[in-house]
Amino acid sequence: MLNQNPKLDLMFQALADPTRRAMIDRLSRGPASVSELAKPFDMSLPAVVQHLQALEASGLVSSQKVGRVRTCQIEPDALSQAEQWLNERRTLWVQRLDRLGEYLAATEDEEEGK
């Protein structure tokens, strides 16, 4: 199948969850510990860790453990890959809609000429 990119699939799968999007939003302001990321959510710490594992597997987030504290940070290059993919689709659809508009305008001109 065309456009198969397993890493991109994992990114969009990770971003499909509102909890993970909220974590990405928080990390866009700077690194945070797992416990800091867990505070706004009414879920167990193991559940938060599972969300973070999905984000790490997708490449959107990385973490580092120092002592007993695991600190997470966003990986901006990974978000750039998703943005590039979306922009390519947007460009394609804009071109298609422009061609459709040109065709409809030409068809309308032909109808008026009859």
Side-chain angles (χ1 to χ4, degrees):
M1 180 177 223
L2 246 86
N3 291 326
Q4 282 192 345
N5 185 337
K7 197 69 167 176
L8 194 61
D9 294 345
L10 286 174
M11 276 185 233
F12 283 116
Q13 183 178 8
L15 291 171
D17 185 274
T19 300
R20 292 191 279 256
R21 286 194 308 273
M23 289 177 176
I24 291 285
D25 186 46
R26 166 54 190 89
L27 291 172
S28 68
R29 296 188 304 262
S33 68
V34 173
S35 56
E36 285 177 275
L37 289 171
K39 280 183 187 175
F41 303 107
D42 185 25
M43 63 177 69
S44 67
L45 198 55
V48 170
V49 169
Q50 283 184 329
H51 283 293
L52 288 170
Q53 287 172 340
L55 289 169
E56 284 192 73
S58 72
L60 291 166
V61 169
S62 64
S63 69
Q64 181 179 3
K65 189 171 184 179
V66 177
R68 296 178 59 163
V69 178
R70 178 166 296 281
T71 302
C72 302
Q73 64 184 22
I74 199 163
E75 290 296 328
D77 290 342
L79 285 175
S80 295
Q81 292 174 11
E83 180 183 21
Q84 178 184 352
W85 186 87
L86 288 169
N87 285 335
E88 289 170 0
R89 304 296 81 59
R90 181 183 301 117
T91 300
L92 176 68
W93 279 103
V94 165
Q95 291 170 349
R96 288 178 178 175
L97 289 171
D98 287 347
R99 285 197 312 262
L100 176 61
E102 291 167 6
Y103 172 78
L104 292 174
T107 303
E108 187 177 287
D109 290 344
E110 287 177 13
E111 290 295 320
E112 288 176 4
K114 289 185 180 181

